[in-house]
Amino acid sequence: MNTATEPRGAADKLLDNPGLTVERLPMLTMIFDRLAQSCAEGIRPYAPAVVSCFVNSISTDHVWDALDAYDGSIAAIFYSSELDARILVGLDRRCVYSLMEVMLGGDAQEAPYDEDRTFSTLEVRVAQTVLEIASEALKSAFGPVIETTFRLERVETRMDFTIMGRRNVLAVIAKILIQAMDIGGQMFVVIPQPALTPIRQKLARDLSSDGSASDPRWLKMMRDGVQKAEVRITGVLDEYEETLGAISEWKIGDVLPLKPSALTRVRFDCKSQALFWCELGQSKGVYTLKVAERVNVEEMPLAQFLKSAAVTEQA
C-alpha cells in the first residue's frame, strides 16, 4: 500500500460529484442480500460446520479509502463486459484464517489465528475458491436487474490504488460477514459507481410497490417444493354419527349399517378438506375410484351450518 499519498482535504471532497445514494436504490439491498445467501449455499459443501453469511452494511466511499481499509486482504478482480467495469471482491485476513480453520475440520476452541504474515499458497487457493463462488453468486444476484457475467482477471494479496483505475472514483462498498462456529471475518465488494449509473433506474425500482416483480428462481424452487409435498388422501364412503356412550359399548363382531349403496359416490378428503366426488368401481380384482367432479364446499354440512348460524345471528 502506498502510504505517501496525502489525505484528501475538505475542498477536494466539496468538489466531488455527489454520486449515487444507496438509500434511493432499493434493488442494491436485494442484490447484496441474495449475494450473501448464495455465498452461504456455495461455501457449505466445503465446510463441515454450518456457514452463515449476512450483509453488515452498504455504503459509498472513494475507492482509495476502501482499499486502504482492507490492506493485507486477499481480493479478486472481476471484469464485467455488460457493465464495462472491474469489480473487486475480497476477504479480510480474519476471514481467510477462519475459513481455513473451518474447512480443515477445526473446532474453534482456540483463539482465532491472527498473524500478519504472507498468505500461504493453500490459503490463496482456498480464498480464490470462495471468491469464485462469490462471482457466480453475484451473477445470479444481478439477474433480476441485468444479465451479466464476471470474468476473473487476477487475485491480489496486496491492495493497490491502481487496481480499480482512478483512485478518487466513488464506489459502492458492501460488507458481508461470514461466520461459522462463532468465528469468521468479512467479505467486501467494491463496485465503481460509473458501472451502476447506466442501470440506476432499474436499481431504483421498489419491489414492495411492484406486485409483478418477483424472483423467478425462488418461485420455481417454491413451486417445485410444493408439488413434491406428500399428502394423505382419504376416501369417505359414509359418515356415522353416534353417542360416546354407544360407541364405548361397541365390541368385536358388531355390525354397523351403512346408508350408501353401490351407486353412492365416495368423497375424497385431504386434511379434512373435501376435494372430489368419485364413483366406486372394480378393475382386475381391486376397487377403483373414478373422479367425477369437484366438491362444492358451499354444499358441505359444515358450510351450511356456518351459513345458517350467521343468518340467525344477523336476525
Side-chain angles (χ1 to χ4, degrees):
M1 177 65 66
N2 182 6
T3 58
T5 305
E6 296 180 359
R8 301 171 67 250
D12 295 332
K13 295 182 180 181
L14 288 174
L15 293 175
D16 284 339
N17 292 326
L20 303 176
T21 304
V22 175
E23 291 75 13
R24 296 182 180 179
L25 305 175
M27 290 295 290
L28 269 182
T29 301
M30 185 213 72
I31 288 173
F32 290 122
D33 283 340
R34 293 186 61 185
L35 170 63
Q37 295 171 8
S38 298
C39 283
E41 295 175 2
I43 297 174
R44 195 164 294 135
Y46 295 91
V50 176
V51 177
S52 60
C53 303
F54 53 92
V55 179
N56 185 36
S57 67
I58 306 172
S59 60
T60 58
D61 203 347
H62 288 82
V63 168
W64 65 342
D65 293 329
L67 298 183
D68 185 57
Y70 290 105
D71 189 21
S73 304
I74 298 180
I77 308 298
F78 297 99
Y79 177 73
S80 170
S81 57
E82 293 80 4
L83 298 176
D84 191 22
R86 288 176 172 82
I87 293 175
L88 183 144
V89 183
L91 305 173
D92 67 8
R93 185 172 293 272
R94 189 180 182 87
C95 184
V96 175
Y97 293 155
S98 297
L99 287 172
M100 293 296 298
E101 174 82 8
V102 173
M103 291 184 177
L104 294 179
D107 54 11
Q109 295 299 317
E110 300 180 0
Y113 183 75
D114 192 13
E115 181 181 338
D116 190 4
R117 57 164 174 76
T118 303
F119 290 109
S120 67
T121 302
L122 180 58
E123 288 168 341
V124 174
R125 288 182 178 178
V126 169
Q128 180 172 339
T129 299
V130 174
L131 294 172
E132 289 175 348
I133 292 173
S135 72
E136 289 299 317
L138 201 59
K139 173 184 175 182
S140 175
F142 266 97
V145 177
I146 182 175
E147 293 292 333
T148 183
T149 56
F150 297 93
R151 176 174 54 85
L152 176 64
E153 288 192 339
R154 63 186 187 276
V155 175
E156 296 282 351
T157 56
R158 293 186 60 188
M159 298 297 101
D160 194 322
F161 292 134
T162 61
I163 289 178
M164 301 293 289
R166 293 187 298 113
R167 61 187 183 184
N168 63 339
V169 67
L170 285 169
V172 172
I173 298 99
K175 300 176 182 179
I176 299 173
L177 298 183
I178 301 178
Q179 291 186 334
M181 298 190 305
D182 296 328
I183 60 175
Q186 193 175 102
M187 171 190 289
F188 54 95
V189 182
V190 182
I191 305 178
Q193 288 197 15
L196 302 176
T197 301
I199 58 174
R200 179 174 55 188
Q201 296 300 324
K202 294 182 179 180
L203 294 174
R205 186 176 58 184
D206 187 0
L207 289 180
S208 61
S209 60
D210 186 0
S212 63
S214 59
D215 183 345
R217 179 171 172 267
W218 182 87
L219 288 177
K220 183 178 183 301
M221 293 175 61
M222 178 64 73
R223 182 170 56 252
D224 293 344
V226 171
Q227 291 176 347
K228 293 178 181 178
E230 296 184 359
V231 296
R232 182 181 297 275
I233 304 295
T234 303
V236 181
L237 181 63
D238 189 19
E239 295 178 343
Y240 191 86
E241 294 185 3
E242 189 56 274
T243 64
L244 286 176
I247 294 174
S248 65
E249 295 178 356
W250 286 354
K251 57 184 180 295
I252 297 176
D254 287 347
V255 177
L256 304 177
L258 297 179
K259 300 176 183 178
S261 65
L263 300 178
T264 302
R265 295 188 299 181
V266 178
R267 191 181 74 237
F268 259 178
D269 288 2
C270 178
K271 299 292 184 179
S272 301
Q273 176 65 48
L275 300 179
F276 297 98
W277 288 112
C278 303
E279 297 174 355
L280 183 63
Q282 280 189 333
S283 176
K284 299 180 181 180
V286 299
Y287 289 106
T288 62
L289 289 175
K290 178 182 178 181
V291 177
E293 62 177 332
R294 291 184 179 274
V295 172
N296 185 354
V297 180
E298 296 295 330
E299 296 178 355
M300 298 302 296
L302 178 59
Q304 294 177 356
F305 170 77
L306 293 176
K307 184 182 297 184
S308 62
V311 172
T312 303
E313 182 177 354
Q314 291 176 358

